[in-house]
Amino acid sequence: MRILVCVKRIPMVGGRIVLTPDGGQIDTSMLGFTVSPHEECAVEEAVRIVEAVRAKGGSGEVTVLTLGPPEAADQLRDAVALGASKCVLLETDREWGPIATAEAIAQEARERGPFDLLLFGNEAADSGDFQVGIRVAHLLDLPVVTGIKGLALEPSGSAGSLAGSLPRASARREYRGVEESFELGLPAVVTVKEGINLPRYPSLPGRMRAKKAVIDSLALGWQGEALSTESLRVPTVERRRAELLGRGAEAVPALVALLESLGLLS
Amino acid sequence: MTQVLVLVEHDADGLIDSSRRAVTFARGLAVANANSKVAVCVIGEVPTGGAELASAIGRQAAEYGVASLHVVPFTGYAPLAWARALGQLADSLSADAVVAAGTDRGSEVMAHLGAITGEEMVANCFAVSRSGTHEWHLTRQRWGGSLIEEAWLEAGRALLTVATDAIPPASVVEPVAAPLELELEAYEPQLADGDTSVVATESPEQAGGVSLASARVVVSGGRGVGGVEGFSVIEQLAAYFGGAVGVSRAVTSLGWRPHSEQVGQTGTRVTPDLYMACGISGAIQHLAGCQSAKTMIAINTDGDAPIMARADYAVIGDVNEVLPALLEVLRARG
Ligand SMILES: Cc1cc2nc3c(=O)[nH]c(=O)nc-3n(C[C@H](O)[C@H](O)[C@H](O)COP(=O)(O)OP(=O)(O)OC[C@H]3O[C@@H](n4cnc5c(N)ncnc54)[C@H](O)[C@@H]3O)c2cc1C
């Protein structure tokens, strides 16, 4: 079982986004970096699948890939700490669009493949483009499901086992309060949402492995796209200075009066 | 004559809210391009002619200023097949923009369409204008709405999803030349075998507590609640209002509560009348999920927490002191 997981480095913005003076990008000088929670779950899911395969005597490995700046090696190491074993860094010197990103990933997947399963987050936390996984699936001619909250691999055929012939995947997600499920044969592309699992905390040996992990990097030449950013801005929310109802339990009468005025008390 | 084609979703009552917003967005684009009209595509088992649902959709389409209504008869949801059908219909209408609400399905189908044709697909737009045949100016959300991007798109045809929380649904106020109820025109796409190999099976709707997404009151707890036990009073308060429990990501990551209760960019987006944020700092990713609440009350020990600048009312204090006291008073009232 060979799994490829794709992640994107993003700044860990907290209470408010601050832009650089020229407005061209997010001021990250005071920020740490991470990947989207969806992607963290994708890594965890891949590691769990491979662990299950190994427990049954099979073999497997998780390769984690990112397209981004050299510093994105940190996010690859984070994935190694959770249990990924190989790291691929497609080095770029600026933000890439979804078409070029998908083409670069598909190319890499072909060269390093075949992979039985390609996992992505449902959408990147920053651009929210919602399409890299789907585009990669089309480029590799693989089936794809998105927004998955539950994934189970079942042996295909009676004699099959997770370790032997390729299993089938059964994937679940929610749609307007209804559960949808999909059946698909591997190899396949699956994009997942946070909640599919609860990622583990990296273990001490995991962190040691992460430090020593070999990052296989490849510098890519810029591929422009039809979409180009003109400017960024932080939306002006009226800073409603909250009306203070009081401190501690002394605020309760004011709270009750407010709830009453909102028509919420019978 | 140019056209803007909108993929809409519906439930038993007709067009869903996000689709009405997407149609409103498309109409803005059509109006700005003098000669343009809005066409709508429905995919599914909509019986044409006479039937109640068909009639509801036809009426709503007319109310929203739609010029033509196309139905692709199809059983179930197969993302690739839907995209293929939408693309073929767009070609046959010579549509120069294809639009869908940025819902799970809308985004998925539009991304497939972009992948099929190799065209750019731009997500989460809320303003668009065209300058010249191949140039579009777009305003769109990044970071779940915490950052706005102005962008240029060079394309003959624009594929866009709409950030529906940024566009209020608006029907056309003035009487339109369109009939009061649009006729549904059937469209038969040419599908390949592989187009239907990935298809959704729906399980029956689960009866359960009040759904978080549609609750009128959401009582939310964050890391400041302090532990699993602290949520008992939050549950009781939510139940008192007939509302739902919400939580921050800190709480789900700690394993205190299930992810199904998480509010935010990677959780559920809620739109209640009242949102109570208890022991929640107010990170932008959390606010992305609750900023449409009509009234927000924050309870926090830190008067300078970011949530205090976004709430309408605040109590500075310990949730584990304030909430039990509040519950006691409410219970005493009966
Ligand atoms: C890409 C991305 C996506 C994310 N998606 C989401 C999401 O969907 N939803 C989400 O919630 N977060 C999300 N996050 C995480 C988010 O950035 C914050 O880390 C998270 O919301 C913090 O949760 P919190 O407010 O409970 O905890 P903290 O930030 O730790 O805040 C705890 C608050 O409780 C207060 N407090 C402490 N003790 C008490 C007490 N006894 N009584 C009252 N107040 C007290 C403190 O003053 C503080 O303000 C995301 C992050 C990223 C990077």
Side-chain angles (χ1 to χ4, degrees), chain A residues 228-248:
Chain A
S228 53
T229 303
E230 179 188 33
S231 64
L232 297 173
R233 71 188 141 86
V234 177
T236 40
V237 282
E238 344 108 55
R239 282 179 75 85
R240 328 177 221 188
R241 186 73 256 185
E243 183 183 327
L244 186 62
L245 296 175
R247 288 175 185 268

Side-chain angles (χ1 to χ4, degrees), chain A residues 264-266, chain B residues 235-243 327 330-331 333-334:
Chain A
L264 291 168
L265 302 184
S266 40
Chain B
E235 272 178 358
Q236 293 172 58
L237 257 184
Y240 180 88
F241 293 116
L327 194 60
L330 292 179
R331 290 234 166 103
R333 290 168 51 106

Side-chain angles (χ1 to χ4, degrees), chain B residues 252-269:
Chain B
T252 55
S253 299
L254 287 160
W256 293 351
R257 302 290 296 189
H259 182 269
S260 55
E261 293 178 350
Q262 182 174 313
V263 170
Q265 191 180 334
T266 51
T268 301
R269 291 185 175 220

Side-chain angles (χ1 to χ4, degrees), chain A residues 225-230, chain B residues 29 32-33 96-97 120 122 127-139 150-160:
Chain A
E225 260 181 53
L227 184 71
S228 53
T229 303
E230 179 188 33
Chain B
L29 174 59
N33 289 282
D96 43 14
E120 201 83 34
V122 192
V128 55
S129 60
R130 192 173 190 175
S131 52
T133 48
H134 276 70
E135 219 166 35
W136 307 79
H137 186 260
L138 299 164
T139 312
E150 306 284 349
W152 290 102
L153 172 67
E154 251 186 78
R157 179 166 80 176
L159 307 185
L160 312 172

Side-chain angles (χ1 to χ4, degrees), chain A residues 100-116:
Chain A
T101 301
E103 279 167 357
I105 292 173
Q107 168 76 17
E108 210 51 31
R110 271 190 217 105
E111 277 173 22
R112 293 172 189 270
F115 291 100
D116 305 316

Side-chain angles (χ1 to χ4, degrees), chain B residues 16-330:
Chain B
I16 64 169
D17 180 66
S18 349
S19 290
R20 295 173 196 226
R21 293 166 188 254
V23 172
T24 306
F25 170 89
R27 204 178 59 226
L29 174 59
V31 167
N33 289 282
N35 247 332
S36 205
K37 286 194 169 174
V38 176
V40 153
C41 172
V42 183
I43 304 178
E45 294 168 277
V46 180
T48 41
E52 223 169 277
L53 176 58
S55 151
I57 295 178
R59 203 172 50 246
Q60 290 157 357
E63 280 166 16
Y64 275 79
V66 171
S68 65
L69 185 51
H70 307 267
V71 177
V72 179
F74 192 83
T75 308
Y77 176 63
L80 184 53
W82 280 40
R84 191 86 65 190
L86 180 66
Q88 288 174 7
L89 177 60
D91 290 345
S92 81
L93 296 173
S94 308
D96 43 14
V98 186
V99 170
T103 56
D104 288 344
R105 281 192 177 175
S107 311
E108 184 174 42
V109 172
M110 292 299 291
H112 271 289
L113 180 54
I116 291 170
T117 64
E119 289 167 291
E120 201 83 34
M121 188 281 263
V122 192
N124 302 318
C125 302
F126 61 92
V128 55
S129 60
R130 192 173 190 175
S131 52
T133 48
H134 276 70
E135 219 166 35
W136 307 79
H137 186 260
L138 299 164
T139 312
R140 68 164 186 152
Q141 293 182 344
R142 294 172 72 96
W143 286 97
S146 303
L147 189 63
I148 308 298
E149 175 184 1
E150 306 284 349
W152 290 102
L153 172 67
E154 251 186 78
R157 179 166 80 176
L159 307 185
L160 312 172
T161 68
V162 181
T164 48
D165 59 351
I167 299 192
S171 53
V172 275
V173 228
E174 295 150 44
V176 276
L180 286 179
E181 185 181 315
L182 279 185
E183 286 287 328
L184 278 70
E185 303 168 35
Y187 178 79
E188 288 286 348
Q190 303 289 316
L191 298 181
D193 282 351
D195 292 350
T196 48
S197 62
V198 174
V199 60
T201 311
E202 285 191 6
S203 68
E205 205 148 341
Q206 288 144 341
V210 179
S211 132
L212 179 57
S214 57
R216 295 330 313 157
V217 175
V218 176
V219 185
S220 263
R223 193 196 305 270
V225 171
V228 175
E229 318 76 50
F231 280 89
S232 151
V233 61
I234 296 217
E235 272 178 358
Q236 293 172 58
L237 257 184
Y240 180 88
F241 293 116
V245 172
V247 301
S248 71
R249 177 160 185 254
V251 168
T252 55
S253 299
L254 287 160
W256 293 351
R257 302 290 296 189
H259 182 269
S260 55
E261 293 178 350
Q262 182 174 313
V263 170
Q265 191 180 334
T266 51
T268 301
R269 291 185 175 220
V270 300
T271 51
D273 293 332
L274 174 64
Y275 190 78
M276 282 181 77
C278 312
I280 292 177
S281 61
I284 58 164
Q285 300 91 355
H286 185 81
L287 291 166
C290 61
Q291 57 203 4
S292 322
K294 285 210 186 86
T295 303
M296 193 188 297
I297 304 177
I299 303 176
N300 202 302
T301 42
D302 177 5
D304 293 324
I307 192 83
M308 296 305 206
R310 298 294 290 275
D312 302 286
Y313 301 94
V315 174
I316 298 179
D318 186 333
V319 282
N320 293 308
E321 189 186 317
V322 179
L323 294 184
L326 173 63
L327 194 60
E328 197 180 322
V329 174
L330 292 179

